[in-house]
Structure formats: C-alpha cells, structure tokens
C-alpha cells in the first residue's frame, strides 16, 4: 500500500487524532542508555541525535528540552510522494499563529504543536473535512 496522493482527498480525510501526553524534543550524543521502545522518534543530525519522547521519559533520563508539545496524528495513510499536504495544514496553522513541527512517517504525518495551542490546532485541522 503506497498511500493516498490526491491532495483534496488527503485534506478531506486526514482525521487528526490528538495523542494524549506531553512530548519533548531532546538531544543526545548516543543511545546506549536509552530504551528505544520508550522513544517516539530519533533523527541523526551532524550535531547530535534528536529524540522525541514523552516528557516524563526525558525527565527520567535527565535530558534537556525547552519545548513541550502535543502530538497530533493525521490518520489518513498519506503517500510519501504526496504534494501539498504539509504546506496546506502548516499554512492554515500559521494563519492562526500556531507553530508546528512535522514528522512524515511511512503511514501518517505527525504534527507537534505547543501544548497551549492543542485545542485550536485540532479545530483548524478539522476544518479541512467540512
């Protein structure tokens, strides 16, 4: 299954889901002492490894973070080749003063927004399906 590519279909059927919890972006130089089953995502950058994890996991590991986010999943299976989806929802969120950090995974797009913006972000994203 390669996922949906049609932008109109994607926008009307993205069905955002708020994953409960507090999520943070951290950095580390290695993953030796970190149980990867507790980590949402890792990404290797030149400067360090970026980790997205639940805040309580980062606190247990004494990892630094400065941004506490909510995690919203677009439940539509979007193709990695789809054009315009990220631009459409990020532009809509931007118009409401909502910053978003996006992770595109194999099946879904995942959006991290500031905790204080969760409810409004869900409202903005749900507008696409009306």
């Amino acid at each position: 299954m390669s996922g949906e590519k049609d932008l109109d279909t994607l926008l009307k059927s993205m069905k955002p889901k708020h994953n409960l919890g507090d999520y943070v972006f951290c950095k580390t130089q290695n993953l030796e002492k970190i149980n990867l089953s507790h980590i949402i995502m890792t990404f290797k950058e030149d400067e360090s490894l970026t980790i997205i994890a639940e805040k309580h996991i980062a606190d247990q590991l004494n990892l630094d973070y400065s941004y506490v986010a909510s995690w919203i999943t677009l439940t539509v299976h979007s193709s990695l080749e789809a054009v315009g989806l990220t631009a459409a929802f990020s532009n809509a969120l931007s118009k409401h003063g909502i910053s978003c950090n996006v992770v595109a995974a194999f099946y879904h797009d995942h959006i991290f927004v500031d905790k204080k913006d969760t409810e409004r972000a869900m409202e903005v994203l749900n507008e696409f399906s009306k």
Side-chain angles (χ1 to χ4, degrees):
M1 244 174 113
S2 61
E4 182 60 55
K5 291 182 185 178
D6 180 72
L7 181 58
D8 288 333
T9 301
L10 285 166
L11 291 172
K12 289 178 182 169
S13 61
M14 61 184 183
K15 295 181 185 133
K17 177 185 130 200
H18 175 216
N19 302 288
L20 298 179
D22 295 340
Y23 298 88
V24 295
F25 287 68
C26 309
K27 63 181 175 62
T28 187
Q29 293 304 317
N30 66 61
L31 298 171
E32 289 175 11
K33 296 180 181 178
I34 298 174
N35 182 341
L36 291 181
S37 68
H38 296 144
I39 301 302
I40 306 302
M41 186 208 80
T42 63
F43 195 91
K44 185 178 180 192
E45 299 182 277
D46 288 340
E47 299 84 357
S48 68
L49 291 163
T50 295
I51 296 170
I52 300 174
E54 286 188 84
K55 180 182 175 294
H56 73 92
I57 297 292
D59 289 340
Q60 288 173 2
L61 296 169
N62 290 321
L63 296 172
D64 290 330
Y65 54 85
S66 60
Y67 174 75
V68 180
S70 288
W71 173 17
I72 300 170
T73 299
L74 303 183
T75 61
V76 65
H77 179 188
S78 55
S79 170
L80 291 168
E81 298 173 290
V83 175
L85 178 61
T86 303
F89 69 71
S90 65
N91 186 45
L93 292 170
S94 175
K95 286 180 181 176
H96 292 276
I98 301 171
S99 168
C100 66
N101 293 280
V102 182
V103 173
F106 188 87
Y107 291 102
H108 308 287
D109 289 278
H110 304 273
I111 307 166
F112 294 86
V113 300
D114 193 295
K115 286 294 290 186
K116 68 177 174 46
D117 295 324
T118 306
E119 187 175 317
R120 186 68 184 126
M122 288 295 291
E123 291 170 3
V124 170
L125 295 170
N126 278 309
E127 283 294 315
F128 285 102
S129 63
K130 292 183 178 181

